[in-house]
Amino acid sequence: MNTTVKALFESVFGGAAELEGFAPGRVNLIGEHTDYNGGRVFPCALNLGIFCAARKRGDNTLRFYSQNFPDDGIIDFSLGNLRLCNRWTDYPVAVIKTFAAMGYEITHGAELAFCGNLPDGSGLSSSAALEVLTGVMLKGLYGFSVTAQELAVFGQFAENRFIGVNCGIMDQFASAMGKKDCALLLDTATLALEYAPVPQNKAAVVIVNSGVKHSLASSAYNDRRRECETALAQINEVRKTPSLCALTPDEFEALQQTVTDSVCRRRAKHAVYENARVTEAANALKNGDVARFGELMKQSHVSLRDDYEVSCEELDFLAECAWNMENVLGARMTGGGFGGCTVNLVQPGSVDRFMKTIQTEYQKQFGKTPAVYTAQISGGAALLPTDKG
Ligand code: GLA
């Protein structure tokens, strides 16, 4: 039971909620911009996320409230007139439309109250968490028989079709399928999943939030995806290739000149090499070689900065600052980029010192103190036990 969301529901809608649920945000350890290129990713679900309390109604009105957007008040829709309106409700509405498109029609209204502790626009997947959580609540309220993997797929569909961001499956998958103390080694070409324990006694996962939010991030994201598609189409003229990440680095080197535009070529290079890094990093972790894992994180950042061009001054500063610190095994930007967070692997005894130093240096450079968190790696989205009393 989560008393905060339960109390929130009672104060907004009156009376008790029927169900409560939680969906986590995620941090990706390595494998960035590979998920829409048929590659592998390596994210973990966090204990930071979004809570919801909900109750069915007898009529056909859907009522939404979020503690994170109190000025919006309660937002009402009738089931026959569900609309996107450039507000936070676009995410749950897009998921409800997706359920309908998949044959899960909602016949009764409901009240849903949300609150969360995931910083918005921080690259820790607050939108994916909201999508997956909406799915969890719909499943619980209306008795739909939908698997956790389907909840992830529906969340991605909602985002692609209705929100207009052509994201891959990583964020929704991590939120729906996360496992305590494990990273998810996900092959996005097949959705084959392996859980990999993260040895937090050897390496603490520390997140540093640059506080930068780029408003053009989603259009730049769609541009990157298009550039990868252009590269793949040209490669396909000389060799049948299902996705960029189906190529090894050697195969790519042999084919790269078929990509005529140098920008598209660099984007493709990033995807291919990043995918190879994920496999190597997962193996290194399995063998307890956290130092090698850290080196691969650094290579990932450099490639995202120079070839994929999705980093920014603040993220580069945070990563470099971490690379120069003793007892830091690795650091890189995480998520889509253009702001958001870095993920750092730090020797457990040095976490406090790392946090203090990075905050001081960032403050000196940019005049603001970044929020820092030690990630608690948690399980995936689920209904919470309700306190009926
Ligand atoms: C965003 C998208 C993901 C993924 C990452 C980059 O988080 O939602 O699907 O593409 O960017 O790795």
Side-chain angles (χ1 to χ4, degrees):
M1 185 204 44
N2 182 277
T3 42
T4 318
V5 77
K6 180 182 154 77
L8 177 71
F9 183 93
E10 286 167 11
S11 72
V12 174
F13 295 116
E18 249 174 85
L19 296 172
E20 289 153 34
F22 172 76
R26 65 96 188 92
V27 66
N28 188 20
L29 299 180
I30 195 160
E32 221 64 85
H33 291 279
T34 46
D35 65 347
Y36 51 85
N37 284 309
R40 283 171 292 256
V41 292
F42 206 45
C44 315
L46 298 171
N47 65 333
L48 301 173
I50 306 182
F51 293 90
C52 180
R55 178 176 65 198
K56 274 205 298 290
R57 289 172 61 90
D59 61 10
N60 68 353
T61 305
L62 279 167
R63 316 198 75 198
F64 296 96
Y65 182 85
S66 169
Q67 196 173 43
N68 296 42
F69 300 92
D71 293 348
D72 286 353
I74 298 177
I75 302 179
D76 286 342
F77 296 98
S78 79
L79 274 175
N81 188 23
L82 270 177
R83 280 170 296 112
L84 277 78
C85 49
N86 262 321
R87 293 206 256 188
W88 71 271
T89 45
D90 286 1
Y91 294 96
V93 165
V95 171
I96 295 170
K97 283 176 172 290
T98 301
F99 268 69
M102 304 293 174
Y104 299 94
E105 200 67 54
I106 288 156
T107 47
H108 283 84
E111 288 147 343
L112 298 101
F114 294 87
C115 61
N117 49 15
L118 203 54
D120 254 359
S122 58
L124 300 177
S125 294
S126 53
S127 19
L130 185 51
E131 289 155 3
V132 170
L133 180 56
T134 303
V136 166
M137 302 314 289
L138 295 179
K139 180 180 170 181
L141 286 174
Y142 302 100
F144 297 140
S145 131
V146 179
T147 63
Q149 182 169 311
E150 283 169 329
L151 290 179
V153 173
F154 289 8
Q156 184 200 15
F157 184 95
E159 182 114 12
N160 292 173
R161 173 68 63 88
F162 298 110
I163 305 292
V165 178
N166 288 322
C167 65
I169 188 81
M170 168 170 73
D171 304 346
Q172 291 81 2
F173 210 94
S175 183
M177 305 283 290
K179 184 170 172 181
K180 191 170 165 33
D181 296 329
C182 287
L184 287 75
L185 180 58
L186 173 68
D187 182 340
T188 63
T190 58
L191 296 190
L193 171 67
E194 217 180 285
Y195 288 109
V198 177
Q200 290 163 94
N201 58 336
K202 284 190 175 179
V205 179
V206 183
I207 296 167
V208 182
N209 188 350
S210 71
V212 177
K213 299 179 193 180
H214 275 243
S215 55
L216 292 177
S218 59
S219 61
Y221 183 94
N222 288 347
D223 290 345
R224 295 298 179 284
R225 185 158 184 168
R226 252 193 317 275
E227 287 155 358
C228 288
E229 282 162 6
T230 303
L232 179 64
Q234 292 192 327
I235 289 172
N236 262 297
E237 283 166 21
V238 296
R239 183 191 139 147
K240 270 250 97 359
T241 309
S243 66
L244 289 176
C245 292
L247 297 171
T248 64
D250 284 347
E251 286 166 342
F252 174 73
E253 291 302 330
L255 287 164
Q256 57 153 319
Q257 287 313 324
T258 58
V259 183
T260 48
D261 179 67
S262 65
V263 171
C264 294
R265 203 182 309 132
R266 281 190 286 119
R267 306 295 192 243
K269 177 181 166 211
H270 165 78
V272 171
Y273 279 81
E274 180 77 354
N275 189 47
R277 277 189 286 273
V278 177
T279 308
E280 197 190 339
N283 284 334
L285 201 66
K286 213 180 265 172
N287 299 330
D289 190 353
V290 285
R292 180 66 190 147
F293 196 99
E295 284 163 23
L296 292 161
M297 288 173 81
K298 180 171 179 179
Q299 288 176 19
S300 168
H301 184 90
V302 169
S303 175
L304 289 160
R305 182 189 69 193
D306 299 344
D307 285 331
Y308 220 69
E309 295 179 287
V310 291
S311 189
C312 63
E313 193 190 347
E314 291 86 349
L315 291 174
D316 290 342
F317 180 87
L318 287 173
E320 270 166 44
C321 197
W323 297 337
N324 292 334
M325 264 185 249
E326 248 182 88
N327 305 329
V328 175
L329 301 155
R332 57 182 285 276
M333 55 154 280
T334 184
F338 311 103
C341 296
T342 58
V343 57
N344 304 267
L345 280 193
V346 182
Q347 284 182 356
S350 306
V351 169
D352 286 346
R353 189 144 51 92
F354 167 77
M355 287 180 167
K356 272 197 206 97
T357 314
I358 206 129
Q359 285 187 315
T360 312
E361 294 301 313
Y362 195 80
Q363 167 72 39
K364 263 196 244 154
Q365 184 79 6
F366 296 106
K368 53 182 177 184
T369 307
V372 290
Y373 331 87
T374 308
Q376 307 293 322
I377 302 176
S378 87
L383 288 177
L384 301 170
T386 11
D387 173 9
K388 297 280 179 202

